[in-house]
Amino acid sequence: MTDTTTILAETRARIADAPDVEALRAIEREVVGKDGVVASLLKSIPGLPPEERKGAGQSANELKQAVLAAIEEREASLGSAALEAERRADGFDGTLPPPRVERGTLHPVTQVTRELEDLFTSMGYMVLDGPEVELDDYNFEKLNIPADHPARDTQDTFYCSSPGSSASLLLRTHTSPVQVRAMERLEPPFRAIVPGKVFRQETTDASHEHTFHQMEGLVIDRNVSVGHLIGAMKTLLRGIFKKEIEVRLRPGYFPFVEPGFELDARCPFCTDGCSVCKRTTWIELLPCGLVHPNVLKAGGLDPEEWGGFAFGLGLSRLVMLRYGIDDVRHLLGGDLRFLDQF
Ligand code: PHE
């Protein structure tokens, strides 16, 4: 029987000389293949004297492992030589790492919107959408804000016209018009949130921007009270700030709710006053109230039978609170150095 040490030495020499991967594959077949040298060594074992069998099996296996290792090593060095050759040929350098693929991130407003959508859908709310270019009728009139109502002054916007139509169009100043659109289309009772972009004709500064985000909430049902509204708002705050937050209601005036409130939340960032709450320990968080009977009527509902509550969450403001952003203009400024941080 041929000594496995000799076979290994010879095979190693041939491997070292192999010019390419095909030559290596041929040696591999010849030595460790199905009908190769190692296989015939193993096949001859039963014919050996019993005391030699174990040793013969062992050395055949060792030969196989050693040959495979040598082939692998040579293959690796042939591979890098091939890359080396390629680099010389056309300037392509296969040894360099691949170009970095820039990964984007979701905009902070999108992140908070999705989080709130998850929270509200888990409480049975639908997520609705509405037009950003809205009819004056829905943005104001049907929300109990007639043409000469002073509340219009606080929500100046961008007006536009549509060729061939006398309809009075504008960029919506709030997500509230979707309240009426929802009532017109959905069978009560229902609950919905409406996240979206809104627009105002404003002189911009750190806390005013011509385009920002709101999230409207609307619940239509029988026998809805302010208690339901407070309960829903506390759940909302618990979802956002991950802890129990004390709230207080102050009277607030919005023509489409009655009674209307400004809801303040106990500052989630301090206990005795900080810059976020301007040392008051309260932050003004969201306007809300019970849906005005005139709005229910505008939506085709009978105010004797149906009632509801609505709230208008300032999404942009909430995002700023959450991430400690001090200027609303960063949000839509499009500066990647800002956006990369989220
Ligand atoms: N739409 C109002 C605004 O933008 C906010 C609001 C919504 C108030 C719902 C009450 C109820 O100012």
Side-chain angles (χ1 to χ4, degrees):
M1 178 192 139
T2 328
D3 177 11
T4 52
T5 325
T6 320
I7 302 178
L8 180 57
E10 282 170 13
T11 314
R12 279 202 168 129
R14 288 175 59 205
I15 290 171
D17 285 343
D20 51 32
V21 179
E22 283 80 77
L24 285 176
R25 290 283 94 82
I27 300 172
E28 186 174 332
R29 270 193 305 278
E30 195 184 307
V31 183
V32 300
K34 198 150 56 73
D35 302 313
V37 181
V38 172
S40 62
L41 282 176
L42 291 172
K43 243 181 261 164
S44 68
I45 290 177
L48 295 175
E51 64 278 13
E52 282 176 28
R53 286 182 198 161
K54 191 169 168 222
Q58 217 161 30
S59 36
N61 275 320
E62 280 164 11
L63 171 63
K64 177 176 171 181
Q65 296 314 324
V67 168
L68 287 175
I71 289 178
E72 197 178 317
E73 198 179 308
R74 175 72 181 145
E75 194 170 342
S77 75
L78 280 175
S80 46
L83 285 174
E84 189 74 16
E86 214 168 332
R87 170 156 63 184
R88 270 184 236 115
D90 62 2
F92 169 82
D93 187 348
T95 64
L96 287 177
R100 220 183 80 173
V101 179
E102 293 287 340
R103 282 256 244 115
T105 55
L106 291 176
H107 192 282
V109 171
T110 309
Q111 292 186 27
V112 172
T113 304
R114 293 202 180 167
E115 221 176 272
L116 292 175
E117 286 177 1
D118 283 347
L119 176 70
F120 277 100
T121 48
S122 78
M123 300 193 290
Y125 284 70
M126 288 177 276
V127 180
L128 301 181
D129 216 351
E132 289 173 359
V133 180
E134 183 55 283
L135 290 162
D136 180 289
D137 207 28
Y138 282 91
N139 197 81
F140 294 124
E141 207 78 31
K142 289 182 195 288
L143 289 173
N144 207 26
I145 315 175
D148 48 9
H149 196 289
R152 289 205 180 201
D153 294 351
T154 62
Q155 301 198 0
D156 193 13
T157 183
F158 304 90
Y159 295 85
C160 32
S161 56
S162 165
S165 152
S166 62
S168 180
L169 287 169
L170 45 78
L171 297 191
R172 66 175 179 189
T173 58
H174 48 181
T175 41
S176 302
V178 189
Q179 287 189 24
V180 179
R181 290 187 175 277
M183 289 178 216
E184 285 175 344
R185 254 170 240 209
L186 301 171
E187 252 334 289
F190 67 85
R191 305 164 186 202
I193 52 164
V194 188
K197 246 189 236 139
V198 300
F199 311 85
R200 302 229 178 141
Q201 150 63 310
E202 302 255 28
T203 305
T204 60
D205 63 24
S207 46
H208 296 88
E209 176 64 297
H210 50 70
T211 303
F212 55 102
H213 290 80
Q214 286 189 339
M215 194 181 77
E216 195 81 4
L218 176 66
V219 169
I220 296 289
D221 210 330
R222 293 183 174 92
N223 307 316
V224 176
S225 74
V226 174
H228 296 118
L229 168 64
I230 296 174
M233 294 306 96
K234 292 196 85 161
T235 311
L236 163 65
L237 293 176
R238 206 182 306 126
I240 297 171
F241 295 108
K242 318 285 179 227
K243 59 178 176 188
E244 206 61 42
I245 304 250
E246 195 189 339
V247 299
R248 73 175 182 194
L249 293 182
R250 287 176 292 118
Y253 177 66
F254 304 92
F256 38 95
V257 285
E258 178 59 37
F261 307 102
E262 289 285 356
L263 181 135
D264 296 341
R266 196 57 103 168
C267 180
F269 306 107
C270 70
T271 49
D272 50 2
C274 67
S275 61
V276 177
C277 59
K278 304 198 187 81
R279 317 234 152 255
T280 63
T281 77
W282 291 100
I283 43 180
E284 191 178 318
L285 203 64
L286 82 172
C288 52
L290 297 188
V291 181
H292 194 287
N294 287 351
V295 179
L296 292 165
K297 278 188 224 153
L301 299 180
D302 176 3
E304 296 300 324
E305 183 179 6
W306 299 103
F309 66 77
F311 55 91
L313 186 67
L315 261 187
S316 302
R317 203 171 116 70
L318 187 66
V319 169
M320 290 168 71
L321 273 177
R322 155 77 78 86
Y323 295 108
I325 299 166
D326 58 5
D327 192 323
V328 66
R329 291 168 295 189
H330 283 313
L331 290 178
L332 294 174
D335 188 335
L336 288 178
R337 290 169 304 177
F338 167 75
L339 294 171
D340 270 348
Q341 300 173 66
F342 299 94

